[in-house]
Amino acid sequence: MLPMALLAAGGAVVPAAGKKADKRPNIIVVLVDDMGYSDLGCYGGEIQTPNLDHLASEGVRFTRFYNTSRSCPTRASLLTGLYQHQAGIGRMTFDDNLPGYRGTLSRDAVTIAEVLKMAGYRTSMVGKWHIAETPLRKDQRDWLNHQVFYDTFSDLSNYPVNRGFDTCYGTIYGVVDHFDPFSLVEGEVPVKEVPEGFYLTQALSDRAVAEVKEYAEDDRPFFMYLAYTAPHWPLHALPEDIEKYKDTYTVGWQAIRDARYRRQQEMGLFGNQEDFLSEFHFKDRWEDNPTAEWDARAMAVHAAMVDRIDQGIGQIVAALKETGQLDNTLILFMSDNGCSNEVCQNYSPGDNDRPDMTRDGREMVYPKNKEVLPGPETTYASLGAKWANVANTPFRFWKAKSYEGGICTPMIAHWPKGIKKNVGGFTAEQGHVMDIMATCVEIAGAEYPEKYKGHDIIPMEGISLVPVFRTGHREGHGYLGFEHFNERAFLGADGWKIVRPGNRAEWELYNLNEDRSEQHNLASEYPEKVAEMVKAYQEWAERCLVEPYPGQHKTKK
């Protein structure tokens, strides 16, 4: 589907695929967008994800792995091994003129690609970037609709190929039309047209497969960052994928959520915790739902988008196996945040990164009244809060919140030569996306620099996951801090967690060891624990550029 030529390979060519002289592992980091905690079959979901389920059966699943609750901050943290504020993207890709909120990746941080490239790895970026400031133009609407063209979508110095990646095929902006994406680039060059039948998820998978096969003929190991835009809204999917789920969700929110929870209990997702389902946030009954047909279709499209990702993972694994690279490739799969509760059909079409017509002039319908079914390119819709609550089973809340439904991601690690403990099972070891850098540095035998291109580099915050793979345990973080749009949390290594939602003055306290889904606020019972953790949060916030933070944020989502 993707006929574009790859950039020519460099370095020594070995006589047979899979027989590299350099025995260091390849690394593929897969990040999906707005996928729920329980969407995958191997985390309790009904969506058909046989390829990811197979990776889980031969690898290890993390149950306490964390992101930063939203797209661009998670990407900044993952790629740099720092908290997102230290990397310059505490919020979105707009400049708030504060050190932790500059809206573009800091030069006081290095990317995994920059570090591994110095260590002799080939480096590839495929998919969604969304960590460069993206100022708006006066004719933004026409630009979004492919009616006018510009050569750059942000400062070129902030493109992937200028942050350590040898090659890049993907989008610079955040939200895109999955059938005809805005801000698609090849390296620094805009891709002005896509072929008939184009679907971005499949195109990204095709590119990844092509590169895996190319890299098999190179003596060097490779690092690939594969960042799918799916299943982020708009709800766009291929008809044959939607067809698989046309009847699945007609039973409604509660039935799907209950079934997911039962499967999670059966698989022992949280070990000895048997009762861990949070209360559904809504009292609405499906049988009284006047828009049931639309809502069932919306979740079917979401499932189809996840399904197509899984199909792509299957293609990539097949290419690794065919070229003799699978056993010595570390694959890490995760989501950038919890499923989204946003109702994008209420946003203003033609604004920021949301088009209002297709390239050929057809109107994009934002179905505020659910008047057209989601799925095709001419619709712009999202799941909404009820299905997001289901997708994040068993947790409370969703994307952009610092409760577990916003910040806890499913994470699968697969590496036949390197993972020796909990194979096929779960680990409750706490991890964070910033640990990916440290993991890559260790297995690549690389050196994290103190200086890079004239800049003093902030010391790495992440801690390698390699001991978890080898022994089942590591000396991890003493704590993890969270802040996004003033949604705050602080999680200790002992499993105690404080949360302060929005602008509320009071902190809540939860013991995740006994209350994994944050059902019982213990703040009034343990005020000394709250005070201790709040003090530690404030010290973290000052150290990691969370403070000072912007006031009421005026930028649109």
Side-chain angles (χ1 to χ4, degrees):
M1 176 174 283
L2 191 62
M4 301 172 182
L6 297 173
L7 296 178
V13 177
V14 293
K19 302 294 183 181
K20 295 173 184 264
D22 190 332
K23 301 300 183 182
R24 292 177 296 173
N26 303 313
I27 304 166
I28 301 177
V29 175
V30 184
L31 186 70
V32 298
D33 202 340
D34 287 12
M35 190 186 77
Y37 188 82
S38 62
D39 278 339
L40 301 180
C42 55
Y43 278 82
E46 69 295 320
I47 301 174
Q48 298 173 37
T49 55
N51 297 296
L52 286 162
D53 296 349
H54 184 70
L55 290 182
S57 73
E58 294 183 342
V60 61
R61 281 164 284 176
F62 285 69
T63 61
R64 296 192 181 199
F65 201 83
Y66 291 92
N67 53 56
T68 74
S69 88
R70 209 186 200 118
S71 176
C72 28
T74 289
R75 291 158 209 276
S77 183
L78 185 156
L79 283 171
T80 63
L82 303 173
Y83 283 106
Q84 68 270 31
H85 309 83
Q86 295 172 302
I89 305 186
R91 294 198 173 178
M92 307 298 288
T93 53
F94 301 96
D95 191 353
D96 285 305
N97 295 307
L98 290 168
Y101 305 87
R102 297 312 302 261
T104 202
L105 207 59
S106 172
R107 293 290 167 177
D108 296 331
V110 286
T111 68
I112 298 173
E114 287 169 329
V115 175
L116 265 58
K117 188 173 184 176
M118 290 190 294
Y121 271 65
R122 293 191 67 176
T123 57
S124 162
M125 161 71 196
V126 182
K128 175 178 173 176
W129 187 235
H130 202 203
I131 48 174
E133 185 183 4
T134 49
L136 306 182
R137 295 181 182 269
K138 291 182 179 179
D139 53 356
Q140 184 79 5
R141 180 171 299 198
D142 289 337
W143 194 26
L144 290 169
N145 297 341
H146 306 289
Q147 307 301 307
V148 299
F149 298 94
Y150 293 98
D151 290 336
T152 61
F153 301 98
S154 73
D155 188 325
L156 286 176
S157 66
N158 298 319
Y159 273 38
V161 290
N162 296 312
R163 292 308 307 255
F165 290 97
D166 296 326
T167 61
C168 167
Y169 176 77
T171 55
I172 301 300
Y173 266 58
V175 180
V176 296
D177 171 351
H178 294 270
F179 293 103
D180 192 1
F182 175 72
S183 77
L184 185 64
V185 298
E186 179 81 50
E188 292 184 348
V189 181
V191 177
K192 292 188 175 181
E193 294 183 2
V194 295
E196 186 177 351
F198 182 94
Y199 184 64
L200 184 56
T201 300
Q202 188 59 52
L204 298 179
S205 298
D206 290 344
R207 170 53 65 96
V209 167
E211 291 187 352
V212 162
K213 291 180 178 179
E214 177 191 347
Y215 296 155
E217 300 300 324
D218 194 307
D219 191 42
R220 294 169 289 175
F222 69 85
F223 167 70
M224 178 184 292
Y225 172 47
L226 173 56
Y228 286 103
T229 56
H232 193 293
W233 52 265
L235 291 168
H236 285 167
L238 297 172
E240 60 267 31
D241 294 335
I242 299 172
E243 180 68 17
K244 296 181 187 180
Y245 302 97
K246 65 178 182 179
D247 299 320
T248 304
Y249 300 103
T250 57
V251 295
W253 308 297
Q254 295 93 336
I256 295 296
R257 192 168 189 260
D258 289 346
R260 288 189 177 198
Y261 175 59
R262 285 194 299 272
R263 286 189 289 269
Q264 290 175 335
Q265 287 181 305
E266 291 166 2
M267 65 177 61
L269 183 65
F270 296 135
N272 295 328
Q273 286 196 37
E274 296 180 357
D275 182 14
F276 52 83
L277 181 65
S278 64
E279 185 178 353
F280 192 49
H281 285 302
F282 306 95
K283 301 301 182 185
D284 309 58
R285 301 192 325 153
W286 181 262
E287 49 267 37
D288 299 328
N289 180 14
T291 60
E293 179 186 7
W294 193 97
D295 291 325
R297 167 72 172 220
M299 189 60 189
V301 179
H302 174 86
M305 297 172 82
V306 175
D307 188 310
R308 181 57 58 164
I309 291 170
D310 184 78
Q311 292 177 52
I313 297 298
Q315 293 176 271
I316 294 162
V317 170
L320 288 166
K321 190 171 184 179
E322 175 189 330
T323 55
Q325 301 181 91
L326 180 60
D327 285 353
N328 200 31
T329 298
L330 170 62
I331 302 173
L332 300 173
F333 178 94
M334 68 206 79
S335 180
D336 63 350
N337 45 249
C339 188
S340 173
N341 70 317
E342 295 163 287
V343 183
C344 79
Q345 48 266 40
N346 290 334
Y347 293 162
S348 299
D351 190 17
N352 190 8
D353 50 12
R354 296 179 282 276
D356 62 357
M357 71 170 66
T358 64
R359 181 188 298 265
D360 58 4
R362 289 171 292 152
E363 180 188 4
M364 290 275 198
V365 178
Y366 287 65
K368 290 181 171 61
N369 299 312
K370 300 184 177 180
E371 62 271 25
V372 294
L373 293 176
E377 183 183 8
T378 50
T379 64
Y380 235 73
S382 57
L383 281 178
K386 295 183 182 70
W387 280 125
N389 200 177
V390 173
N392 294 327
T393 303
F395 298 135
R396 300 169 64 190
F397 293 105
W398 33 69
K399 172 182 177 178
K401 293 289 187 180
S402 288
Y403 294 99
E404 298 292 280
I407 61 175
C408 195
T409 174
M411 208 284 269
I412 300 169
H414 181 274
W415 181 19
K417 282 194 174 182
I419 296 177
K420 303 302 180 184
K421 293 293 182 179
N422 297 313
V423 174
F426 299 100
T427 177
E429 294 285 309
Q430 283 185 9
H432 190 281
V433 291
M434 65 185 173
D435 297 337
I436 305 303
M437 166 71 90
T439 306
C440 293
V441 167
E442 179 172 351
I443 70 173
E447 183 177 349
Y448 184 88
E450 294 181 2
K451 290 183 176 290
Y452 184 77
K453 294 186 176 180
H455 294 269
D456 292 328
I457 300 304
I458 299 172
M460 182 164 51
E461 294 277 346
I463 301 173
S464 175
L465 299 168
V466 171
V468 180
F469 302 155
R470 291 178 176 161
T471 70
H473 178 68
R474 70 170 182 173
E475 291 300 319
H477 299 276
Y479 59 81
L480 294 171
F482 302 88
E483 186 278 332
H484 183 64
F485 281 88
N486 212 17
E487 295 280 339
R488 302 173 174 204
F490 198 72
L491 172 62
D494 59 1
W496 286 90
K497 179 184 176 185
I498 54 171
V499 181
R500 194 178 108 178
N503 291 313
R504 294 184 196 171
E506 300 299 320
W507 289 84
E508 301 169 5
L509 175 68
Y510 301 97
N511 181 357
L512 299 189
N513 297 319
E514 300 175 0
D515 180 19
R516 192 66 182 83
S517 297
E518 302 166 306
Q519 290 299 289
H520 307 288
N521 178 9
L522 303 176
S524 61
E525 297 180 40
Y526 300 98
E528 295 88 356
K529 184 68 174 178
V530 174
E532 170 195 328
M533 295 187 73
V534 169
K535 182 176 182 294
Y537 172 88
Q538 291 169 341
E539 292 171 353
W540 166 78
E542 291 175 8
R543 183 179 70 81
C544 292
L545 306 181
V546 181
E547 306 285 359
Y549 61 91
Q552 183 65 37
H553 198 68
K554 301 300 183 183
T555 306
K556 293 181 182 294
K557 294 179 181 178

